[in-house]
Amino acid sequence: MVKLPAHAQAFLAPAKLNLDLRITGRRADGYHLLESIFCLIDLCDIVHLAPRTDAEVILHAPAASVAAEQDLSYRAAKALQQAANCRLGADIWLQKNIPMGGGLGGGSSDAATVLLALNHLWQCGLNRQALMEIGVGLGADVPFFLFGRNAFARGIGEQLSAFAVPKQWYVVVKPAVHVSTPAIFSHRGLTRNSKPSIMPTFQTLQPFRNDMQAVVLETYPEVKEVYQALKPYGKPLMTGSGACVFIGFEQKGEAEAVYNRISKKYEAYCVEGLESHPLLDR
């Protein structure tokens, strides 16, 4: 990490897991209709922000594969400027701890944290709903991170309601492959006819599933290998469109024991589920 100016402030951007994900249909514009349980986890990027007195937004050391102007964090800052008619700017540094391309929502979470933090630092005064309306224009997962609590999502992921998730610890494994979300959504073998839930709860939705998982396991042997490696320890599930696969445990010690074994071969994380976003009160 480069040396930061003294006035830069640090803000957490947590990852998420889709504990359950069902595709209930498809809109005329091609977007898929989903139902999903979104759960925050204690695996966080750190977003460093330093306000500027001019209107410049500068993303320092952007990801090599993404132009700075296309990065969600940069776009979030510019979108907030426009929505709030703000003439201030910001320097942005991203300390990435959430693996990219794993279905953990790292880029969306970074964007949400930029919106929450700059709304505070710039004194824009926008409420959470206004920020969520900005967020949905950036990406389908951004409103969830702005919502700030574990949630049941409908629509394309923007219709959110608070959802009680029991305390759990998770072993999350990142296969050495990037899954193409557009390719999975357009796959001819993808089922899109799951029955919508009436009164969803953590118990009534059991057993959890991911309607994209079968297609990904068939298409990406690296994901299938990780899935098979986790099977002896429970019921593995893929998060989002992949590639990460996880198992939930009620006891921290159980999760740590599995992590100690699986991390000898794969990139893995042992993380606690969160009830709320670290910036919920901002």
Side-chain angles (χ1 to χ4, degrees), residues 82-110:
Q82 183 174 0
N85 194 26
C86 179
R87 298 183 180 181
L88 298 176
D91 290 291
I92 305 172
W93 296 264
L94 300 178
Q95 184 176 332
K96 296 294 294 180
N97 300 310
I98 302 170
M100 297 176 66
L104 300 176
S108 295
S109 186
D110 295 344

Side-chain angles (χ1 to χ4, degrees), residues 231-251:
K231 276 187 74 174
Y233 308 111
K235 183 186 177 184
L237 276 174
M238 193 178 72
T239 181
S241 59
C244 285
V245 182
F246 69 93
I247 300 182
F249 298 89
E250 294 182 358
Q251 302 298 324

Side-chain angles (χ1 to χ4, degrees), residues 23-26 32 184-194:
I23 304 174
T24 58
R26 196 172 191 177
H32 286 73
I184 298 305
F185 270 123
S186 62
H187 196 284
R188 64 181 181 178
L190 185 67
T191 57
R192 304 176 174 89
N193 58 354
S194 284

Side-chain angles (χ1 to χ4, degrees), residues 59 62 65-76 138:
L59 177 62
S65 58
V66 182
E69 293 75 15
Q70 297 302 315
D71 190 282
L72 282 178
S73 298
Y74 175 90
R75 290 172 55 203
L138 297 169

